[in-house]
Amino acid sequence: MSEQSVQQGNQAEGRGAGGPGPGSESAVRRVVVIGAGPRGTSAVERLVSRAAASGGVPASGLRIEVVDSHEPGPGHVWNTEQNRLFLMNTPCFYPTVTPERPAGSGAPGLSFEQFRRLMGDGAVLSETERAELGAMSRTSYPPRALYGAYLRHVWARVAALAESTPGVDGPHHVRATAVAIDPDPAGGYRVVLADGEVLAAHDVVLAVGHVPARLTPAQEAAGRAAAGFKASYLPPHVPADVDHEAFPAGENVLVRGLGLNFFDLMIVLSEGRGGEFRDTGLPAGRALEYVPSGREPLVIAGSRRGAPYRAKSAVDSFVPRGVTLRHLVYERVARAARQGATGRTPGTVDFERHVWPLLQRDVVEHYYATLADQAPELFPSGAEPFLEDLAQILDAPNDIGDEVWTVRTKDLLRSAAPEAAFFNIRALAKPFSGVGHTTPEGHAAAILEWLEADAAGAALGEGSAEHQGIGALHAGRLVTKRLAAEGLIDELSVATQVRGWFEPLVEGLASGPPLERTEQLAALVRAGVVRILGPEPTYTFDDAEGLFSAASPWVSAPPVTSRWMVEAMMPANRVAVTASPLLRDVLESGLGRPRRRTNEDGETVPGSGLDVVGADHRLVGEDGHVADNVHVLGLQLSSIQWGTAIAAEAGAGSDDGARTLGDADAVAATILLRAGVPLRQVALGWVLP
């Protein structure tokens, strides 16, 4: 967000630089940031770095208080004491909570990759942390606890810069839980803590991250059913919060979900129980064998798709370097939206009609380009003529619908590559759809074959046609995120199409675990320590037996029973069902409201996130009044952004992979303007490419 846009936004809504606040106008301006995890850390870093770049804060100064019951920097999810088997889902080169700084600049910002290359950048590290840093490359997936150490170090560097910046007092960590934000009759807000203490604030930044959620009726029923029996039900949770030692050796443990939380559970109940993965010397897919310790439970997991998330491709960049989108280009879609071609709302497009067809063409193009290079024998008349004909079909005008170009592509394949099937990436996400087995052994063999093939393909990196098609899908996801965040995709389309089926598609194919985890899962399946149910399993509780049971309609086998049932997923990120006392108070008091949208029946329904306005994300109340001095960052922006849990990408622009940094910077610019820092002196202190 530019300084000019901050100034224009404040002038348009009648806000002066001082703004409302507790006490007299000459009082120290007080900022309370609620949440000391990555988003809160980014907000504080932007405030301090901007203030330092402008020479300090004039008048009476700025006091920054940060409320969190956990350590500042790591916060809850990234606590430095958690099990070191829990890995990040992004490699070292990707994540950051600050803009990268030139080496030797002395500024607080650095990415995790800079932290790794500098062996901790002077941070006080344990022997374990130093050993982990020394063993990693830029493409390694670090332990979450180590990322917490990075966050702790960034916090310390920001605090050191604040101490030397005139007019900045803090950041002061208040180890507590905020439970309410009340408007102060004297101006500003009163942030109420769980112990009854009250913090006065001119400005409040909500950066609360993952919070508990109310259970669904089905989850509540499962918990009630288990109560009174010797059965245990674990609802959605943060993996680091669970006592995994409670699961007894040798017993069945039923798991619902095959996403990232499943892989955490899988590894802590195998290697975490003393088992050992050994190299076999065999090709990818069979590269590991598992030697049990005898202390493992039998993990029996399922999901609607019947397959785990696919392994990440072994490439050295977030999007494969060979992927360039020719069809789904941001400017092309933005131009179509401006020309009024399209969505229900003027100035928007419809995802299924105007975005997905373009992305699907890019996916198909990258798949066959890689296949032609990988298996030229599939193209009897030559790969080059085939690719030229395919490009001509894919470059057809937009008014030719999906079915027309797909039919023409299939016709081309029949004539020019009869042994090559049409690449349907949506079907790729459901590999066992409509596939049944008459024995559990047959299904287990099919699962193992699929896992081994996925690992082998991921190990090829850009040499795998499937994974290169997935790479194009992933690149299109980034474009879609930007289009959604800028309001260029109709809100109903985002809710029903992007979130309805596109998000699960991308998560299952492009947001999976590191390749290492898929190799380990295949080894655990071979060792009989993990079993995967067929598609569309049904989970029930037998009151007579006091046991949970699960069975898939696509596999002929008796139901599997267990006294243990685990939901392998995080708590729902929907403010309407939040169990956070603070967010519930914000909604019940009317200070904030869920962002509303109109569904296909014309009904107004609540969205997943809070309603906000402006690039600095000011909270909108139940009556439509804007709480100008309350800002929202992170997960609770999910109604206007997509993928709010994903870290900022080091080196990316604020319109793309580093949007979370741009959000934090816009909030900091607004707050410093109110604190009396003349806008012309509010320098960014950094430039996003």
Side-chain angles (χ1 to χ4, degrees), residues 136-224:
M136 287 188 301
S137 70
R138 68 184 301 274
T139 57
S140 299
Y141 289 79
R144 289 179 206 154
L146 186 61
Y147 191 68
Y150 154 75
L151 294 169
R152 181 179 58 202
H153 178 59
V154 171
W155 177 272
R157 290 189 61 169
V158 171
L161 178 63
E163 190 173 351
S164 64
T165 301
V168 175
D169 178 15
H172 299 282
H173 177 217
V174 180
R175 191 175 288 275
T177 300
V179 296
I181 304 171
D182 297 332
D184 190 328
Y189 294 91
R190 302 167 71 251
V191 177
V192 183
L193 308 183
D195 62 2
E197 184 182 351
V198 174
L199 302 178
H202 294 81
D203 306 285
V204 179
V205 181
L206 278 171
V208 296
H210 288 284
V211 294
R214 295 200 301 270
L215 301 184
T216 66
Q219 291 165 352
E220 285 185 337
R224 284 196 304 269

Side-chain angles (χ1 to χ4, degrees), residues 211 222 268 293 355 594 629:
V211 294
V268 80
S293 68
V355 178
N629 296 70

Side-chain angles (χ1 to χ4, degrees), residues 280-296:
T280 63
L282 297 173
R286 299 187 66 86
L288 296 176
E289 66 174 350
Y290 182 72
V291 181
S293 68
R295 296 176 50 225
E296 301 89 347

Side-chain angles (χ1 to χ4, degrees), residues 618-642:
R618 285 162 282 127
L619 186 64
V620 178
E622 179 60 34
D623 61 359
H625 174 75
V626 177
D628 283 332
N629 296 70
V630 180
H631 304 268
V632 181
L633 292 175
L635 269 66
Q636 285 70 43
L637 294 176
S638 59
S639 281
I640 63 165
Q641 294 183 9
W642 176 39

Side-chain angles (χ1 to χ4, degrees), residues 646-662:
I646 300 173
E649 179 183 1
S654 59
D655 287 338
D656 298 307
R659 184 170 293 276
T660 60
L661 299 187

Side-chain angles (χ1 to χ4, degrees), residues 6 14 20 101 224 308 378 455 516 535 635 655:
V6 173
R101 305 285 180 150
R224 284 196 304 269
L378 293 176
E516 174 188 9
L635 269 66
D655 287 338

Side-chain angles (χ1 to χ4, degrees), residues 230 247-254 295-300 547 561-564:
K230 291 184 178 179
F247 300 105
E251 287 201 29
N252 292 350
V253 176
L254 284 181
R295 296 176 50 225
E296 301 89 347
L298 173 58
V299 176
I300 304 171
L547 297 172
T561 61
S562 172
R563 63 191 183 100
W564 298 88

